[in-house]
Amino acid sequence: MNKPNTRNQHGISGKDDRQLMFSLINAGRAIEQSLEEALTPIGLSLAKFGALTHLVEAGEPLSLSECAKKMTCVRSNITQLMDRLEADGLVRRIKDPQDRRTVKAALTRLGRERQSAGAKEVARVQAELRKTLDGINQGALRRALSAIM
Amino acid sequence: MNKPNTRNQHGISGKDDRQLMFSLINAGRAIEQSLEEALTPIGLSLAKFGALTHLVEAGEPLSLSECAKKMTCVRSNITQLMDRLEADGLVRRIKDPQDRRTVKAALTRLGRERQSAGAKEVARVQAELRKTLDGINQGALRRALSAIM
DNA sequence: TTCGGTTTATTCATATATGAATAATACAGG
DNA sequence: CCTGTATTATTCATATATGAATAAACCGAA
């Protein structure tokens, strides 16, 4: 990667960069940044791509609550995200006749296409990252990350 | 840690969690989340703590531009963050007579105390993380992270 | 069947970020 | 000394998040 991290908001890393905790935070943000940059040209953000991807994977419309669960965020966030996705023409809200409280998000054709284009870009970033981490012990890395979460 | 990740906005992790890229993003977010939770009781966010810490480390007032550089973010962000820190009584804006364009941020007594309390909490989280990562190869992890950034 | 608790989405207030536009100041070179 | 360019902070519009409050709809138990 070797891109400058332009999104380390707190900017804490102690006296040296070797502090593991902040390195992990910064690494995560650096990758997010790369993904955002890769998605920008096709008109997506990481948040939007995430929502579209869950809808594609589900293969059917999902209620906004289900979306919130899959994206591990609060529902008011999904309300807003869907507003933007709907404004972009990538998603359509449909009412659920079974449960009139529920609103489902359905992909539009454009939404499906956009997600597919996004997936290609994400795969590209992922391949870059794999190459970057080529020489290192990925097993150790995976074990560490799964210990954290 | 083993706290549920309640802040994985995109929520993408593919079919399995083994996808390194999203694991890294999620690990970073999980740690951020722990830090936010640790700082909340003392009235700080990670962003606020970061700003205070840079001021403490500098040992003197810093211009808002210098703060933005240290925190690797745009200046309009610092303007807003300083507004909130000033409202909290943790920082004071002082005009620079040498350069009348410049506004410097100076720690208040309360700001210094709050940062110090925050640093203790951060150290606690850091110690927890160290313990979590006890069994794993931290050298490999460090090398991986420095490769990414 | 009505009542009360739960779930649904939305709205509102707020925090944190970006980036563009603006205004004031500095400063170098003619 | 002007003049143009750069730098400074701020403001504005926007995106992404949280959490509290609200309204509508559902559902089980009395």
Side-chain angles (χ1 to χ4, degrees):
Chain A
M1 321 292 262
N2 285 325
K3 284 182 187 155
N5 176 1
T6 61
R7 233 189 202 184
N8 167 17
Q9 299 89 338
H10 48 80
I12 312 160
S13 58
K15 292 295 177 190
D16 54 44
D17 288 348
R18 282 165 288 147
Q19 292 211 49
L20 203 44
M21 186 171 70
F22 292 111
S23 292
L24 269 162
I25 293 174
N26 291 336
R29 292 194 179 193
I31 294 171
E32 274 185 77
Q33 179 70 12
S34 296
L35 290 171
E36 296 282 4
E37 281 166 15
L39 291 171
T40 295
I42 55 176
L44 286 180
S45 62
L46 190 49
K48 285 176 178 175
F49 173 72
L52 295 180
T53 298
H54 284 299
L55 289 171
V56 166
E57 284 174 0
E60 58 177 5
L62 292 175
S63 78
L64 302 200
S65 272
E66 289 168 325
C67 291
K69 271 182 199 107
K70 284 186 193 286
M71 304 184 64
T72 333
C73 68
V74 299
R75 278 175 314 193
S76 58
N77 194 13
I78 297 296
T79 296
Q80 298 176 80
L81 184 55
M82 287 304 164
D83 288 346
R84 292 188 294 269
L85 285 169
E86 221 174 10
D88 291 348
L90 307 180
V91 145
R92 227 176 40 251
R93 273 179 168 92
I94 50 183
K95 294 184 180 175
D96 182 353
Q98 259 64 51
D99 183 343
R100 288 178 306 166
R101 294 170 301 180
T102 298
V103 176
K104 292 198 170 185
L107 283 168
T108 63
R109 167 108 62 98
L110 184 58
R112 224 176 291 275
E113 291 168 0
R114 206 66 75 82
Q115 192 280 335
S116 167
K120 281 189 187 63
E121 290 305 304
V122 169
R124 203 177 46 65
V125 172
Q126 204 152 15
E128 267 179 47
L129 178 64
R130 233 189 315 273
K131 204 159 60 177
T132 300
L133 296 180
D134 220 17
I136 67 101
N137 181 346
Q138 291 194 21
L141 186 50
R142 277 179 217 282
R143 279 191 296 279
L145 298 177
S146 69
I148 290 167
M149 295 177 299
Chain B
M1 322 292 268
N2 285 324
K3 284 181 187 153
N5 177 3
T6 60
R7 234 190 201 181
N8 168 18
Q9 298 86 341
H10 48 81
I12 314 158
S13 57
K15 292 295 178 194
D16 55 43
D17 288 347
R18 283 166 287 147
Q19 292 210 49
L20 205 41
M21 187 171 71
F22 292 112
S23 291
L24 268 162
I25 293 175
N26 290 338
R29 291 197 179 192
I31 295 171
E32 274 187 76
Q33 179 70 11
S34 296
L35 289 171
E36 295 282 5
E37 280 166 15
L39 290 170
T40 294
I42 55 176
L44 286 180
S45 62
L46 190 51
K48 286 177 178 176
F49 174 71
L52 295 180
T53 298
H54 284 299
L55 289 171
V56 165
E57 283 175 0
E60 58 178 5
L62 292 175
S63 79
L64 301 200
S65 272
E66 288 170 325
C67 290
K69 272 181 199 108
K70 284 185 194 286
M71 302 184 65
T72 330
C73 68
V74 300
R75 277 176 313 194
S76 58
N77 195 12
I78 298 295
T79 296
Q80 298 176 82
L81 184 55
M82 287 302 164
D83 287 347
R84 292 187 295 267
L85 286 169
E86 222 174 8
D88 290 349
L90 307 181
V91 144
R92 227 175 40 250
R93 273 179 168 93
I94 50 183
K95 292 184 181 173
D96 183 354
Q98 258 68 51
D99 184 340
R100 286 180 307 168
R101 293 171 301 181
T102 297
V103 175
K104 293 197 169 184
L107 283 168
T108 62
R109 168 108 61 97
L110 184 58
R112 223 176 292 274
E113 291 168 0
R114 206 64 76 83
Q115 192 279 335
S116 167
K120 282 190 187 64
E121 290 305 303
V122 169
R124 202 176 48 65
V125 173
Q126 204 153 14
E128 265 179 48
L129 177 64
R130 231 189 318 272
K131 204 157 63 176
T132 300
L133 296 180
D134 219 18
I136 69 100
N137 181 349
Q138 292 193 22
L141 185 51
R142 277 178 217 282
R143 280 190 297 279
L145 298 177
S146 69
I148 290 167
M149 295 177 298

